[in-house]
């Protein structure tokens, strides 16, 4: 069975980035048949009033300008929909995710495309996918009260139907870098391919 993997890097750093290194190692471990790579270090645009208006306009009556407004968002959603596995490499910036990753979430969280509203509440449309999030932190511990990154990503992916979410953590790097990197390497080795 052919496996497609969407690899998302978010660190502003290209050299010496722990999250980029970890996510690349995860991709190598999983050895996908098809790889889509999206580097968010060159920030995505923020959503605008025109974008919101276009998303809430039914597709069959959207203007050409509205279609152009949604073109990048459509590409990002198509990448996500095509993937069997999503690997996100992210640092923790100021206890949360980078702004570029939040912009990606804003552009892909689309009613009718990645989730829908039902009589019983919202329902994710991206079911049957797996996500692995590699998070690097300087001082915060993943799962602690100071971690506003892993829980948010787990929740927002689950909201869109991706409920199989694993975290690979290299946390508290400033406290004991060797131990954090060894722990992350063991977590990657333990991942099912």
């Amino acid at each position: 069975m052919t496996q497609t993997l969407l690899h998302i890097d978010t660190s502003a750093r290209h050299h010496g980035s722990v999250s980029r290194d970890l996510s690349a190692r995860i991709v190598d471990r999983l050895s996908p048949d098809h790889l889509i790579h999206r580097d968010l270090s060159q920030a995505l645009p923020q959503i605008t009033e025109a974008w919101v208006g276009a998303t809430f306009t039914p597709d069959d009556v959207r203007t050409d300008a509205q279609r152009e407004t949604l073109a990048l968002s459509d590409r990002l959603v198509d990448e996500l929909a095509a993937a069997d596995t999503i690997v996100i490499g992210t640092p923790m910036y100021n206890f949360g995710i980078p702004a570029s990753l939040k912009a990606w979430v804003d552009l892909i969280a689309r009613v009718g495309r990645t989730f829908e509203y039902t009589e019983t509440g919202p329902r994710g449309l991206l079911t049957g996918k797996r996500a692995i999030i590699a998070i690097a932190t300087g001082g915060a511990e993943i799962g602690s009260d100071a971690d506003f990154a892993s829980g948010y990503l787990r929740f927002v992916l689950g909201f869109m139907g991706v409920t199989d979410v694993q975290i690979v953590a290299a946390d508290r790097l400033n406290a004991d870098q060797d131990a954090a990197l060894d722990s992350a390497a063991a977590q990657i080795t333990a991942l099912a391919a």
Side-chain angles (χ1 to χ4, degrees), residues 92-98 135 137 140-154:
M92 180 185 287
Y93 289 159
N94 302 312
F95 311 106
I97 61 172
I135 302 179
T137 77
E141 183 177 356
I142 296 300
S144 73
D145 289 344
D147 171 15
F148 295 94
S150 65
Y152 171 75
L153 289 171
R154 209 183 272 283

Side-chain angles (χ1 to χ4, degrees), residues 2-176:
T2 302
Q3 290 292 312
T4 299
L5 188 148
L6 173 60
H7 178 195
I8 299 169
D9 276 317
T10 68
S11 177
R13 296 173 61 197
H14 286 259
H15 303 289
S17 166
V18 171
S19 65
R20 284 179 183 274
D21 177 63
L22 295 177
S23 67
R25 290 168 60 192
I26 293 167
V27 171
D28 287 345
R29 168 97 173 107
L30 299 180
S31 189
D33 300 301
H34 182 64
L35 178 65
I36 303 165
H37 185 244
R38 175 66 66 172
D39 189 337
L40 303 182
S41 65
Q42 301 300 312
L44 295 170
Q46 301 295 307
I47 60 173
T48 62
E49 183 176 2
W51 186 92
V52 172
T55 61
F56 287 103
T57 300
D59 187 52
D60 59 341
V61 295
R62 281 187 188 131
T63 66
D64 289 341
Q66 287 175 318
R67 290 181 198 289
E68 180 59 30
T69 298
L70 294 178
L72 174 59
S73 174
D74 286 339
R75 280 195 305 277
L76 296 173
V77 170
D78 289 346
E79 289 173 356
L80 190 56
D84 301 295
T85 302
I86 303 114
V87 173
I88 300 173
T90 185
M92 180 185 287
Y93 289 159
N94 302 312
F95 311 106
I97 61 172
S100 60
L101 183 53
K102 177 60 168 72
W104 178 79
V105 169
D106 288 343
L107 291 168
I108 62 158
R110 298 251 317 261
V111 68
R113 293 287 316 267
T114 57
F115 70 95
E116 66 182 357
Y117 292 110
T118 70
E119 291 178 4
T120 58
R123 183 175 71 88
L125 300 175
L126 300 176
T127 58
K129 298 178 185 300
R130 172 187 188 194
I132 304 168
I133 304 166
I135 302 179
T137 77
E141 183 177 356
I142 296 300
S144 73
D145 289 344
D147 171 15
F148 295 94
S150 65
Y152 171 75
L153 289 171
R154 209 183 272 283
F155 178 85
V156 78
L157 289 168
F159 183 82
M160 293 182 286
V162 183
T163 56
D164 181 0
V165 179
Q166 295 172 271
I167 304 289
V168 170
D171 53 358
R172 304 190 69 234
L173 285 159
N174 292 336
D176 189 342

